[in-house]
Amino acid sequence: MRLRALLDTEALGLRLLGGEDELDRSVRGVMTTDLRDPSRYLSGGELVLTGLAWRRDASDAEPFVRILANAGVAGLAAGEAELGDVPDDLVEACLRHRLPLFAVDETVAFATITEHVVRQVSGERAGDLAAVVDRHRRLMTSGPAGGGPEVVLDLLTSDLDLKAWVLSPTGRQIAGAGEPLSPRTGAELAGRHLAATRTGRPGPHRAEVDGTPYSLFPIRNTGRSALPAPSRDARESVLSDWLLAVAADADDWPAARLDLLQGVTQLIAVERDRRDAARSVRRRLAQEVLELVRTGAAPAEIAARLRVAAPVLLPGLGAAPHWQVVVARVEWTEEGKDLSGGRAAQALLEEILVDPSVTGPDSADRIAVAYTGEEAVALVPLAALAAPDPDSAETPAVPEPHDSALHADALLGAVRAPLTAGLSDDGRLTLGVSAAVHSAEGLRGALEEARHARRVAAARPGPVCAAGHHELASHVLLLPFVPDDVRRAFTARLLDPLRDYDRRHRAELIETLMAFLDCDGSWTRCAARLHLHVNTLRYRVGRIEQLTGRDLSRLEDKLDFFLALRMS
C-alpha cells in the first residue's frame, strides 16, 4: 500500500505534517517503538508509530529521524497523547530528511493503525498470501468464532505447507497447527530465541533441534499490556514477548514469504493484546487484595474482597479456597546500578504459574498477579479441603492443604533453561513461595513469608533461583547471609588442613568426614558406606581430629564441620 492511502481512511485520524512529495512510498509493515535507537528492529519500508517517550528535549529529534531515514522506513506517525502536539523540532527534522510525518490523534489507538496497515499490505500481496488476509477479520473478532492464532496457523499449514507454533517466552505452546511440540523442544526453541535476541540480532533466528530446522520470529508485545514506553527496556521485552516457531529454514525464502510471516506475527500481536486485556479484572482484584494486605486492613475487609475474587479465579468452586502467595523479582545490572521492574516480573510470574503441560493462551485465567515498583505478587488459589460425606459410613481421607500447594523448585523446573538464556549474564529472577493459608488473617504473614523466601533465593548464586517457606526454618536461611570473608576464614581453618593432607597422601579425609556426618557419627554405617573396615575408619577420623584439633565426639565440633562443608 502507499502512504497516501492512509490519509484517505478517516477512521485512522491521521494528519500530514510534512513530506507531501513522498506520499507515493510503499508501506511493507508497521513497527511501534519508543526506543531512542530502534535500528536493530527495522528492515526498511515500515510505517513507524511512536508515542514520543524517547524525546527529552529538542536535540533528540534529529538523531532519531536520521536513524529512521538511514533504515529506509516509509514514514513516521507520532502520537499526540504524550505531549499534546507534535513538537516543531521533529517536524523540521523530518523535512530535512524527506521523511513523511503524520500526527496521530490521541483518540486513535496504535493497534487500530497496525491492524489497518497489516490488513491492507497483506491484501495487496499475491498468490498464497490471500488466504491469510481473508481470515484476518475472523482472527480479530472477540467472540468464540474468531478462532484466534490457530486460524492463521492452520492456513499456513494448508496453503503454504508450513508447520508453525506460537510459544511463550518459556517455550509453553500457546497455539499450533497439527501435532503439538514436545515441552522439551518448546523450551529449547525458546532458549535459543531468547539468547539470539539478547545479542541484538534481528529475527528470524535459525535453530535446529533433533535434526529439524526451525525459524523463530519474535511477536512483539506493543499493545496495552506492553511495558510502559518511558521505562521499556529491550531486555524486559525479550522476557515477555511471544515467538512464532516455523518448522523450516527461512534463509532461502523470497522476500514476499518473509513479509508474510512478519505480517502474521503482527496479527498475532494484536490478538495477544486483546486476550491480555481480559486479564485486567484478575489483575485488578489481585492489586486490591495486595493493597489491603500491605496496609494492614482488617481481616474482615480482606475476606470480603476475597469472596469477590474467588468466583473469578475459581469459577464453580463452592467453598472458599486456600491461598498461597508467590513473590518474584527481576533485576538487571547495568554500569554498577541495580535495576528492577515489577511489570516484567508480573509477565514472567503469570507465565511461570501456568502448568507447562497445558496449552493455549487462556490457561492462565485463574492466576492473579499484581505488581509494585520492584516486585510481582501472585495470589494463587488452591482447592479447598474436601468435606466428609455425612451419609457415608466410611471416613474419607481428607487431603492436607499442601497436597495441591505450589513448590518453589517445581515451579522453575520447566522454565529454568530458557529463562537463563534470556537473562544472560546481567539479569536475575528470584522467586519466593509461602505456605498455604486458609483465611484472610493468614495472608499478611504469607506475603511476608514469601518475601523472606525470595530474599533467601536472592542470596544464592545463579540467574534463576527460588526458595520456599520450609527453608525459613532451616540453617539454609542463615548460611547465604554469612559474609564471604567470614565464610572463607571459617572453612579454611577447618578444612584446608584436611585438603592439604588429601593432596599429599590421597587419604580421602574430606570424603570420610562428609560420610561420617551423614551417618550421624555411626561407625558401622559409615564404614559400610565407604566400604572400609571400622578400624580403618577410626584411623581416618583420628587423623582428622589430629590435623584440626577438634573432637568429632563433641556436638559443637560436629556442627562446625557440618557448617564448614555446607559453606565451602
Side-chain angles (χ1 to χ4, degrees):
M1 67 174 297
R2 305 288 180 182
L3 280 176
R4 191 180 305 278
L6 296 173
L7 294 174
D8 298 332
T9 307
E10 294 183 0
L12 300 183
L14 297 178
R15 291 183 293 107
L16 183 64
L17 300 181
E20 185 175 0
D21 295 336
E22 304 291 332
L23 290 181
D24 287 329
R25 292 186 182 187
S26 296
V27 180
R28 297 175 54 202
V30 185
M31 190 247 188
T32 301
T33 185
D34 275 305
L35 296 173
R36 298 170 70 84
D37 180 5
S39 57
R40 70 178 63 180
Y41 304 117
L42 297 172
S43 57
E46 298 93 346
L47 173 66
V48 175
L49 308 177
T50 180
L52 299 177
W54 50 266
R55 183 184 181 278
R56 299 173 185 171
D57 54 46
S59 64
D60 291 334
E62 172 64 23
F64 180 77
V65 173
R66 186 190 314 119
I67 289 170
L68 299 187
N70 291 340
V73 305
L76 175 64
E80 296 180 323
E82 183 75 17
L83 302 179
D85 293 317
V86 177
D88 292 339
D89 50 85
L90 181 60
V91 176
E92 294 168 1
C94 288
L95 288 174
R96 282 194 297 272
H97 290 276
R98 302 181 62 84
L99 182 66
L101 175 63
F102 302 89
V104 182
D105 190 271
E106 62 181 356
T107 61
V108 179
F110 282 179
T112 301
I113 300 174
T114 299
E115 179 183 353
H116 175 81
V117 172
V118 170
R119 184 170 62 247
Q120 295 300 318
V121 170
S122 299
E124 293 173 359
R125 300 207 172 110
D128 57 7
L129 312 189
V132 174
V133 178
D134 292 340
R135 302 293 285 275
H136 176 255
R137 187 172 298 279
R138 280 196 62 196
L139 176 67
M140 293 297 106
T141 57
S142 59
E150 290 84 356
V151 171
V152 171
L153 300 185
D154 286 340
L155 287 171
L156 289 177
T157 300
S158 61
D159 292 5
L160 307 184
D161 197 26
L162 291 176
K163 295 180 180 178
W165 302 265
V166 178
L167 304 178
S168 76
T170 65
R172 183 177 62 87
Q173 182 170 318
I174 304 295
E179 289 293 323
L181 285 177
S182 69
R184 184 187 67 82
T185 300
E188 179 72 17
L189 292 176
R192 301 274 190 92
H193 171 74
L194 291 173
T197 305
R198 283 300 309 272
T199 66
R201 290 189 288 116
H205 305 121
R206 189 184 186 281
E208 186 171 310
V209 178
D210 296 334
T212 301
Y214 295 90
S215 296
L216 310 176
F217 296 79
I219 301 173
R220 307 205 181 279
N221 186 12
T222 57
R224 288 166 291 180
S225 62
L227 298 173
S231 62
R232 186 177 298 139
D233 189 309
R235 296 171 298 186
E236 295 181 350
S237 298
V238 166
L239 294 175
S240 61
D241 289 343
W242 289 355
L243 68 135
L244 177 67
V246 182
D249 188 346
D251 287 348
D252 299 327
W253 282 3
R257 180 63 59 87
L258 286 172
D259 286 348
L260 167 63
L261 268 295
Q262 295 292 354
V264 168
T265 64
Q266 292 176 348
L267 297 183
I268 296 174
V270 175
E271 172 68 4
R272 180 187 178 176
D273 179 39
R274 184 183 68 80
R275 295 187 182 231
D276 280 353
R279 291 187 179 184
S280 60
V281 174
R282 297 188 299 280
R283 286 172 171 171
R284 185 171 66 251
L285 287 172
Q287 199 79 40
E288 291 173 354
V289 173
L290 176 62
E291 288 302 316
L292 291 175
V293 172
R294 289 177 55 202
T295 56
E301 185 178 359
I302 299 175
R305 195 61 54 90
L306 284 176
R307 284 194 293 272
V308 175
V312 176
L313 301 177
L314 287 177
L317 187 68
H322 290 78
W323 303 90
Q324 269 183 289
V325 175
V326 182
V327 173
R329 183 167 178 169
V330 174
E331 298 172 286
W332 305 98
T333 301
E334 181 179 285
E335 298 178 356
K337 299 183 296 183
D338 290 331
L339 310 175
S340 58
R343 286 291 295 270
Q346 180 187 44
L348 268 185
L349 190 52
E350 286 177 335
E351 176 60 30
I352 289 171
L353 290 174
V354 178
D355 184 343
S357 64
V358 176
T359 62
D362 296 327
S363 52
D365 279 352
R366 298 175 179 178
I367 297 170
V369 182
Y371 77 94
T372 63
E374 298 181 344
E375 66 183 11
V377 180
L379 188 65
V380 182
L382 306 174
L385 291 175
D389 184 357
D391 299 326
S392 174
E394 300 179 359
T395 302
V398 178
E400 294 296 327
H402 62 266
D403 285 348
S404 58
L406 302 172
H407 297 278
D409 291 337
L411 281 177
L412 295 180
V415 302
R416 190 182 302 275
L419 291 185
T420 297
L423 292 161
S424 189
D425 57 356
D426 60 350
R428 294 199 74 203
L429 167 67
T430 52
L431 185 145
V433 182
S434 78
V437 296
H438 66 278
S439 66
E441 288 86 348
L443 276 180
R444 188 169 189 180
L447 176 60
E448 291 305 315
E449 192 173 59
R451 283 175 168 162
H452 285 309
R454 193 208 63 79
R455 284 192 282 269
V456 171
R460 296 172 176 167
V464 181
C465 297
H469 60 91
H470 60 281
E471 299 180 59
L472 301 182
S474 166
H475 65 276
V476 177
L477 172 65
L478 303 177
L479 294 184
F481 300 100
V482 177
D484 289 341
D485 55 342
V486 176
R487 285 170 177 260
R488 288 191 292 268
F490 183 76
T491 57
R493 183 180 296 274
L494 281 175
L495 301 182
D496 279 2
L498 306 182
R499 291 177 176 136
D500 293 341
Y501 191 87
D502 281 346
R503 279 195 294 269
R504 294 196 306 270
H505 302 283
R506 298 182 180 179
E508 299 181 348
L509 295 185
I510 292 289
E511 181 184 353
T512 302
L513 175 61
M514 294 173 63
F516 187 73
L517 295 176
D518 284 344
C519 293
D520 299 324
S522 169
W523 296 98
T524 55
R525 283 195 290 125
C526 183
R529 175 183 292 190
L530 296 175
H531 306 289
L532 299 174
H533 192 278
V534 172
N535 289 340
T536 304
L537 176 61
R538 291 185 183 278
Y539 171 80
R540 288 189 183 181
V541 171
R543 179 64 68 186
I544 292 171
E545 293 174 335
Q546 179 185 15
L547 292 170
T548 60
R550 299 300 185 102
D551 183 355
L552 278 168
S553 66
R554 298 178 68 246
L555 176 62
E556 293 87 346
D557 289 341
K558 286 181 181 177
L559 181 59
D560 283 347
F561 278 121
F562 175 79
L563 293 175
L565 289 169
R566 291 301 298 266
M567 289 191 294
S568 64

